[in-house]
Amino acid sequence: MKHNIRIIQLAILLLSANVSAQLDSFTWLDDEAGLPQNSIKSIVPDKYGFLWLTTENGLVRYDGQEFKTFNSENQNFSNNRFLYIAGKKEIDSLFTNTDGQNDIILIHKGQPKRFNKKHAYKTPIYVDGLFGEFYAQCIPNVYLDYGTRPVRYFRSDGKYFLLLNKRISFHTKYGKKLWEKHFEYTDTNSVFMLGSTLGYIDPKGVYWECTEKGISQSNELIGKLPKERSYFWNASNDQVFIISNVEIYQLKKIKSGSLNLKKLYHGSKLDPSNLSSFYYDEANSILFAGSATDGLGKFEVKRFKTYKPDVLLSTRSQVFYSVNELEPNVVLTAAGYVIKNGKMEKKYNFTRDRSKLIIDKEKNVWVTGYTSIFCFTSKSNYTEKIKVLHTDDDCSALFYDNNDAFFAAVNDRYSNTSSLFIKTKENGFKFEEIAKIPAKVNQIRSLNSESLLLCTAVGLFKYFKATKKIVKFEATKNLAVRNAVILNENEIWFFSYGKGFRLLKDNKIFKFPLDDNQSLLTAHTVVPDKLGNFWIPTNKGLFRVKRNDLLNYANGHTKKVNYFLFKKDSGFYSNEFNGGGYPNSLITQDGNIWLPSLNGIVCFNPEQLQPKTSAENVYVEEAIVDDQTIDIRNNSMLPRNFERVVIKIVAPYYGIRENLILEAKLFDGENSSWTRVHESGKIAYTKLAPGKHKLVVRKRIASENDYKYLTLDFCVKQAYYDTTLFKALMVLVVLSLLFGIYVVRIFYVNKRNELLELKIAEKTSKLQDIITTLRETTNRLNAQTTGNRKIIQYITHDLKSPLRFMAMLSRDLIEDPDKNQEQLSESFLAIYQSSNQMYGFVENLLDYSKLNLSQLEKRERTWVYDIVISKINLFKPIAMNQKTKIFNQIPSDFTINGNPVLLRIIVHNLLDNALKYSAGKTIIFSASEHETHKVIAVIDTGVGMNTETLEYYKSLSRDFNNRTDNVGTGLGLKIVIELMVVLGAKIEFNSSSNRTVVSLVFEK
């Protein structure tokens, strides 16, 4: 019975010996992916990284992410049935035409534009009628199916071959024939250009080539031609492909000059009759195919190889958790599969638990069986199965160190503890318990020759072998550590499932930023390669990152980490890798890295992998303003008052979209920041202010550090009232209005003056009475007691000027009684104003005389502007008479802490004094406020003080109480100085030949 079971098992092994070859297949992008129609005639790249496709419903541009269609709906095309593309991308000059050559289209700067049909013969797509001369652009080609016709094959230097009636000739670019010979060929759809050579492979597989020297047979074809073959050629791409039922080859010249037949595809069956064109993007290892019915095919030449069983013995046969190296470059899995020389075979049956796989120095295989540990001996060819440990609990970890010792951890089912076991060479196959661990252990690693690192559900622990002491890394407290990679004792990378990966260095924990999709939350391990990279498998793809980038981030030298993502298109069957086993990664002696996944084992060589490249630049396609599309490249003016503008950014890239990083910044203030552009390439802004704006877009690939920048300057249209012209006109209108007001005001003032002169004439008699009253008042003041001597001095001083003025006027009237009426009026007006001025003096005197000592010391908030205005009005007639201008530049809200009565007297005397010496000049009152004091300044542009007088008043202001100078000339300033002393303020004098400044300084 046992013998029969062994036979059955052997039969199963033989049936399952074949391994699935990783068959290639195209991913087809059709109308559901954005194509306007599924028939593609031609595929040609341009200078800017775009792919251009011709369909029967328009010309299509592909940037690796989406299609943009140009047809009669958005262009001035008369026909949407496009045929072929030809030209030179290097000079940004590609041409295509519509059916019947109704439209000739030039593709330039990433955009199509109609070309003048009169010059069609100058383009590489010229066709002279149905049977006339034809410029060859590609094969297959519908124009080659219309019988015998002359066909030109152009070289890059302008010289060309002419094929007609099985004869071929070679011509200069001006048409001069250099040679002509017989050329035996069966089908023009098998003739192609490769570089500067015209080539043909006859039915026997012999390669013939035509050069400027003539025709020759070449034996320099490297590779075996398939028996059944079809040819595809495009002059713009300078690529030739040979297609069989299941294979695609590229015919390519190598450096030696020989032709190399390179296999690009081996997979599902192909129908060459349904294929129209091919293009191979060598930089990105992507093969594009055009189909008559299925749209655009996209196949990425696999850079990763995945091994999985061809025959599945169970529903989980393709799931792998651990791999190890049985022999140099021979890989063994815990499921018993061996991968050798590119083939995978089922050779051994171990256990159903495929999570642990250890190979010792004697090539014995050690695996776990959930609650047990087994050894399969190499001397029995792994048929002998020895149970070396059995428990009722879970065997969670198994580890083999360089000292030929095994360590195992068994998790207790009923508590959060584990038992640690050891098996040494001296113990044979027996495990011995050596410690209790206060946590459930997930993995065991060797920290150094003296200690182990334990990955547990509550952090990392250190176990000392000699003392059996257990120490917890407190920095990892409460982190469920699933795996750890130790590069050295001070660089421990560990992984917490669902929480990403961290670095333990210098007893500190460093957490790293995640990718945009947060796939790194499920990071399983890091695998270092010789190029300084870390490879990080996750549940959502494989990441590559520079180890130094991570260390620089941990050290604070950079704020970003560049992760580059690989996914299923690169050659995986699944994006989900497994990390719970041991070993969960492997580097074989040939440098290949092996990673177990949910659907096979992934193998790759890091040195053979290059990241996807992209066009150097990034481009702005258009702007959509409230559903209105604007070509913002040629029209940078946007309408005003829009709600939302969407700017479309394009950046050709044919790799995984997550690896293309597009960011934009609108420079509209100090708070501008970089914003990630949506995957659609669109970035939106709402209600931009009128005026100029600058949008900067930057692009980089995740594996690169340098950005490529694009700057777009555009403008939002301004309203008429926001324009400079309108503002200038408004200023002109305001100035004109002010001028008009000024003219009206002058007219009004003149009329008013005339009325005042009439009133003065009427009240001349009253002035005589007022003068008499003033004289009597003066006499009474002179009779005051000695105690009021100073008051008398003040009023006498104040009254002197108007009296003198009135006396002068009176003398003039007496001496010249024959004055005319106008002169009399002016004299009487002056007398009236002077008397009115003296009336104000008297009023000030009365106010002053009523003040006792306590009232003189009283301080209150005093409005300076009103006092100055009142005094200016008082002296205005005198000023006008002597043509002196007085300006009050004191703010209306300027105040000091003082006595308003004394301030009026001070201002009065200062203004009176200034008028004496400023005839025909200017007097200005101004004010300023400082941190500790306020200043009132009286400035006149009169003759100024001489040096002796100036020094006198400065000395008097510094020591007034101790001076005994008698009253005399300049009494007004003495009065001011004395009153400033009373007010507890300071007065300062500054004078020159044409300017005098008296400053009153009051403390706040």
Side-chain angles (χ1 to χ4, degrees):
M1 183 66 179
K2 288 184 179 179
H3 179 69
N4 292 336
I5 292 174
R6 287 294 178 90
I7 292 175
I8 293 172
Q9 289 176 340
L10 180 60
I12 292 174
L13 287 173
L14 291 174
L15 287 172
S16 62
N18 289 330
V19 180
S20 66
Q22 199 165 355
L23 295 178
D24 299 328
S25 62
F26 280 92
T27 299
W28 291 97
L29 306 174
D30 54 16
D31 54 347
E32 292 185 356
L35 280 173
Q37 196 268 339
N38 292 331
S39 297
I40 294 179
K41 299 286 194 302
S42 192
I43 307 171
V44 175
D46 69 7
K47 179 180 179 180
Y48 306 99
F50 297 107
L51 278 186
W52 290 90
L53 320 173
T54 53
T55 75
E56 295 187 4
N57 192 26
L59 179 64
V60 179
R61 191 188 70 192
Y62 181 53
D63 62 8
Q65 309 300 323
E66 63 180 11
F67 299 99
K68 181 175 178 62
T69 302
F70 301 89
N71 55 24
S72 57
E73 295 180 6
N74 52 38
Q75 304 289 320
N76 59 344
F77 300 161
S78 61
N79 192 331
N80 287 335
R81 293 173 62 89
F82 282 83
L83 296 175
Y84 307 111
I85 302 175
K88 299 179 180 178
K89 71 175 184 179
E90 293 79 11
I91 61 174
D92 194 19
S93 179
L94 297 177
F95 289 89
T96 183
N97 58 354
T98 58
D99 195 13
Q101 294 200 97
N102 293 322
D103 298 304
I104 306 295
I105 307 300
L106 169 65
I107 301 172
H108 180 66
K109 292 185 177 180
Q111 297 293 320
K113 182 180 180 181
R114 287 188 69 173
F115 191 76
N116 193 331
K117 288 178 62 176
K118 294 180 180 179
H119 304 294
Y121 69 92
K122 298 180 180 179
T123 69
I125 55 168
Y126 176 67
V127 178
D128 184 11
L130 191 61
F131 298 102
E133 190 175 52
F134 162 60
Y135 295 173
Q137 310 113 9
C138 58
I139 56 174
N141 192 309
V142 66
Y143 292 117
L144 295 174
D145 297 333
Y146 291 98
T148 303
R149 66 188 306 164
V151 183
R152 288 193 190 186
Y153 294 84
F154 280 94
R155 303 197 326 175
S156 60
D157 58 5
K159 298 177 182 179
Y160 62 90
F161 298 94
L162 181 63
L163 192 65
L164 176 63
N165 295 329
K166 295 191 177 183
R167 293 195 65 80
I168 188 168
S169 55
F170 183 63
H171 301 255
T172 68
K173 63 181 179 180
Y174 303 108
K176 181 181 177 181
K177 186 187 297 184
L178 299 179
W179 56 259
E180 182 178 1
K181 295 185 180 182
H182 177 76
F183 186 51
E184 189 69 33
Y185 58 92
T186 58
D187 184 8
T188 49
N189 274 309
S190 300
V191 180
F192 51 83
M193 287 287 295
L194 197 58
S196 60
T197 302
L198 185 139
Y200 169 68
I201 301 177
D202 66 20
K204 295 182 181 180
V206 178
Y207 175 64
W208 298 84
E209 66 178 15
C210 302
T211 67
E212 58 184 10
K213 296 180 180 180
I215 305 173
S216 62
Q217 178 181 337
S218 175
N219 296 319
E220 296 180 346
L221 181 61
I222 302 173
K224 185 178 181 181
L225 285 168
K227 292 183 179 180
E228 296 183 5
R229 54 186 181 269
S230 300
Y231 297 92
F232 292 80
W233 163 66
N234 186 288
S236 297
N237 301 335
D238 195 26
Q239 292 180 341
V240 179
F241 301 93
I242 299 176
I243 313 301
S244 71
N245 287 334
V246 295
E247 294 173 328
I248 300 175
Y249 297 87
Q250 182 184 13
L251 191 62
K252 186 177 180 182
K253 276 196 173 183
I254 57 178
K255 291 182 178 180
S256 64
S258 301
L259 286 178
N260 181 40
L261 200 62
K262 178 183 178 182
K263 184 188 291 186
L264 300 179
Y265 175 92
H266 179 86
S268 54
K269 187 174 181 180
L270 300 170
D271 181 7
S273 64
N274 193 43
L275 298 171
S276 56
S277 59
F278 285 91
Y279 167 65
Y280 180 53
D281 181 357
E282 189 169 0
N284 292 313
S285 302
I286 300 176
L287 180 63
F288 295 94
S291 167
T293 58
D294 298 324
L296 178 67
K298 183 178 179 182
F299 166 69
E300 182 174 342
V301 177
K302 304 305 180 186
R303 297 181 289 174
F304 293 80
K305 189 171 184 179
T306 301
Y307 295 90
K308 72 173 187 175
D310 191 20
V311 177
L312 302 181
L313 301 179
S314 70
T315 57
R316 294 173 58 83
S317 294
Q318 77 278 18
V319 182
F320 294 89
Y321 295 93
S322 58
V323 288
N324 214 324
E325 191 169 22
L326 183 63
E327 297 174 6
N329 305 319
V330 177
V331 176
L332 176 68
T333 74
Y337 289 95
V338 175
I339 304 172
K340 183 178 181 180
N341 297 328
K343 296 181 180 180
M344 185 178 196
E345 297 182 56
K346 175 70 173 178
K347 283 194 172 183
Y348 311 113
N349 279 327
F350 295 135
T351 65
R352 289 180 299 170
D353 178 12
R354 293 168 290 170
S355 62
K356 314 291 187 300
L357 174 65
I358 290 178
I359 302 174
D360 63 20
K361 294 179 179 178
E362 297 177 356
K363 300 299 181 182
N364 298 318
V365 173
W366 301 73
V367 296
T368 56
Y370 301 115
T371 59
S372 304
I373 298 176
F374 298 95
C375 175
F376 291 83
T377 61
S378 59
K379 64 183 180 181
S380 68
N381 197 25
Y382 307 110
T383 58
E384 180 184 10
K385 179 180 179 181
I386 302 174
K387 183 183 291 187
V388 294
L389 178 66
H390 177 75
T391 70
D392 294 329
D393 296 317
D394 176 30
C395 289
S396 60
L398 182 62
F399 178 73
Y400 178 66
D401 70 8
N402 293 328
N403 296 322
D404 210 17
F406 284 85
F407 294 89
V410 177
N411 290 342
D412 191 291
R413 295 183 181 181
Y414 306 104
S415 67
N416 292 323
T417 61
S418 297
S419 298
L420 185 63
F421 292 82
I422 187 173
K423 186 205 80 66
T424 61
K425 189 172 183 179
E426 293 74 16
N427 292 344
F429 292 101
K430 182 180 178 182
F431 274 85
E432 176 185 353
E433 183 175 351
I434 55 175
K436 286 288 186 182
I437 311 301
K440 289 191 174 183
V441 177
N442 295 320
Q443 294 286 359
I444 302 172
R445 299 287 183 267
S446 177
L447 193 57
N448 51 46
S449 60
E450 299 175 352
S451 59
L452 299 175
L453 182 72
L454 307 179
C455 306
T456 78
V458 294
L460 293 173
F461 287 81
K462 187 175 183 180
Y463 173 76
F464 292 90
K465 298 177 183 178
T467 62
K468 299 183 179 182
K469 182 180 179 182
I470 300 171
V471 177
K472 186 175 184 178
F473 288 89
E474 290 298 328
T476 66
K477 185 178 180 181
N478 298 326
L479 282 174
V481 181
R482 193 183 189 203
N483 186 29
V485 175
I486 303 172
L487 298 185
N488 56 66
E489 288 189 54
N490 196 35
E491 186 180 342
I492 302 174
W493 301 86
F494 63 97
F495 305 83
S496 183
Y497 193 77
K499 293 184 178 180
F501 67 101
R502 291 168 171 81
L503 170 65
L504 176 60
K505 184 178 176 65
D506 299 326
N507 292 320
K508 297 179 182 178
I509 297 294
F510 298 96
K511 186 177 180 180
F512 296 92
L514 302 173
D515 60 298
D516 289 340
N517 295 327
Q518 298 190 338
S519 301
L520 285 166
L521 283 174
T522 57
H524 300 311
T525 187
V526 294
V527 185
D529 65 18
K530 296 178 181 179
L531 303 176
N533 300 312
F534 273 172
W535 295 86
I536 307 176
T538 73
N539 283 358
K540 295 182 179 180
L542 176 64
F543 289 87
R544 182 180 63 189
V545 61
K546 291 288 185 183
R547 173 173 173 259
N548 283 339
D549 283 359
L550 295 174
L551 294 177
N552 287 335
Y553 181 88
N555 294 329
H557 297 157
T558 182
K559 294 183 178 180
K560 67 178 182 180
V561 177
N562 299 324
Y563 301 105
F564 192 85
L565 175 63
F566 295 89
K567 298 177 78 171
K568 287 175 63 175
D569 288 345
S570 302
F572 315 152
Y573 287 120
S574 171
N575 287 329
E576 184 171 348
F577 290 84
N578 286 323
Y582 178 76
N584 57 12
S585 63
L586 173 67
I587 304 176
T588 49
Q589 291 186 18
D590 55 10
N592 287 339
I593 293 178
W594 302 76
L595 299 171
S597 80
L598 207 63
N599 195 1
I601 297 176
V602 176
C603 172
F604 62 95
N605 190 317
E607 297 182 12
Q608 298 175 359
L609 290 177
Q610 295 297 326
K612 292 287 187 297
T613 61
S614 69
E616 286 295 311
N617 297 320
V618 57
Y619 312 97
V620 170
E621 177 72 11
E622 61 190 11
I624 303 172
V625 183
D626 292 342
D627 299 326
Q628 176 188 358
T629 301
I630 295 176
D631 186 358
I632 198 170
R633 297 162 304 164
N634 300 317
N635 178 18
S636 60
M637 180 65 72
L638 302 184
R640 58 183 294 269
N641 290 336
F642 60 81
E643 291 295 324
R644 188 168 186 261
V645 58
V646 178
I647 298 177
K648 173 68 174 174
I649 310 295
V650 289
Y653 180 65
Y654 298 91
I656 298 170
R657 184 63 180 83
E658 290 92 325
N659 291 328
L660 176 63
I661 299 172
L662 282 178
E663 296 174 316
K665 179 191 286 190
L666 185 65
F667 285 86
D668 263 358
E670 296 179 357
N671 296 325
S672 299
S673 58
W674 291 104
T675 303
R676 189 73 178 263
V677 178
H678 189 264
E679 289 185 2
S680 64
K682 295 178 179 178
I683 184 166
Y685 299 100
T686 56
K687 296 182 177 180
L688 293 179
K692 295 181 180 180
H693 299 270
K694 178 188 285 187
L695 176 68
V696 178
V697 181
R698 66 182 185 182
K699 179 208 73 172
R700 69 176 175 89
I701 306 304
S703 59
E704 301 171 356
N705 289 317
D706 296 331
Y707 284 96
K708 306 294 187 302
Y709 288 87
L710 164 72
T711 299
L712 173 68
D713 293 310
F714 64 95
C715 187
V716 177
K717 189 174 182 180
Q718 295 176 311
Y720 69 90
Y721 48 79
D722 287 327
T723 62
T724 304
L725 179 60
F726 178 81
K727 292 177 181 178
L729 289 175
M730 289 304 298
V731 170
L732 184 60
V733 169
V734 171
L735 291 176
S736 300
L737 182 60
L738 292 174
F739 181 74
I741 293 172
Y742 171 75
V743 172
V744 173
R745 177 65 177 168
I746 292 298
F747 177 79
Y748 169 75
V749 170
N750 291 335
K751 286 292 184 182
R752 182 181 171 192
N753 288 339
E754 292 176 2
L755 293 175
L756 287 174
E757 289 174 358
L758 292 175
K759 290 181 180 180
I760 292 171
E762 293 174 357
K763 297 182 178 180
T764 302
S765 60
K766 294 181 180 180
L767 285 174
Q768 297 297 332
D769 296 336
I770 293 172
I771 292 171
T772 303
T773 303
L774 288 173
R775 287 175 179 171
E776 293 175 354
T777 303
T778 302
N779 293 331
R780 285 197 300 271
L781 290 173
N782 290 329
Q784 292 293 329
T785 62
T786 304
N788 292 329
R789 178 175 58 85
K790 291 183 180 180
I791 297 176
I792 294 172
Q793 291 176 350
Y794 300 159
I795 196 62
T796 301
H797 179 270
D798 289 343
L799 293 176
K800 186 189 301 181
S801 294
L803 284 175
R804 183 175 64 253
F805 183 66
M806 290 170 63
M808 291 168 57
L809 288 176
S810 299
R811 184 182 63 200
D812 289 344
L813 288 173
I814 294 171
E815 293 176 352
D816 189 8
D818 297 328
K819 290 181 180 288
N820 58 36
Q821 186 63 30
E822 183 179 354
Q823 291 174 332
L824 288 174
S825 299
E826 291 177 353
S827 299
F828 291 142
L829 174 61
I831 293 171
Y832 167 75
Q833 291 173 336
S834 298
S835 61
N836 193 37
Q837 179 183 6
M838 289 168 32
Y839 178 80
F841 298 162
V842 174
E843 185 179 9
N844 287 338
L845 176 62
L846 292 175
D847 289 340
Y848 184 85
S849 64
K850 293 176 182 178
L851 295 174
N852 55 35
L853 183 59
S854 61
Q855 291 174 322
L856 285 173
E857 295 175 350
K858 183 180 179 181
R859 302 292 181 268
E860 63 184 58
R861 190 179 186 187
T862 304
W863 301 87
V864 179
Y865 177 83
D866 295 333
I867 292 174
V868 173
I869 285 293
S870 66
K871 293 303 178 181
I872 289 174
N873 291 334
L874 185 63
F875 283 96
K876 189 173 183 180
I878 297 175
M880 292 178 63
N881 184 64
Q882 62 185 35
K883 298 182 181 181
T884 300
K885 296 180 181 180
I886 307 175
F887 297 96
N888 182 9
Q889 296 180 354
I890 296 175
S892 59
D893 59 349
F894 185 82
T895 63
I896 63 168
N897 184 25
N899 189 307
V901 174
L902 297 183
L903 184 61
R904 280 196 290 269
I905 296 173
I906 291 170
V907 172
H908 181 103
N909 281 278
L910 288 175
L911 181 55
D912 177 44
N913 192 72
L915 282 169
K916 292 178 183 178
Y917 303 102
S918 303
K921 303 296 182 177
T922 302
I923 301 173
I924 300 172
F925 284 83
S926 66
S928 59
E929 184 172 354
H930 305 272
E931 184 175 353
T932 59
H933 60 278
K934 296 182 178 181
V935 179
I936 302 171
V938 182
I939 308 166
D940 68 72
T941 59
V943 297
M945 299 181 186
N946 58 44
T947 304
E948 181 180 355
T949 304
L950 180 63
E951 290 301 319
Y952 168 76
Y953 284 118
K954 284 184 177 181
S955 174
L956 189 63
S957 64
R958 290 194 295 267
D959 191 15
F960 181 85
N961 292 327
N962 296 324
R963 299 297 294 263
T964 59
D965 304 76
N966 295 323
V967 177
T969 302
L971 182 59
L973 288 180
K974 293 180 181 178
I975 296 170
V976 170
I977 294 171
E978 182 174 1
L979 292 181
M980 288 295 288
V981 172
V982 173
L983 288 172
K986 294 190 299 184
I987 184 169
E988 298 174 352
F989 297 89
N990 287 285
S991 181
S992 62
S993 60
N994 55 2
R995 177 182 173 91
T996 301
V997 180
V998 180
S999 300
L1000 308 181
V1001 183
F1002 298 87
E1003 293 184 355
K1004 284 190 174 180

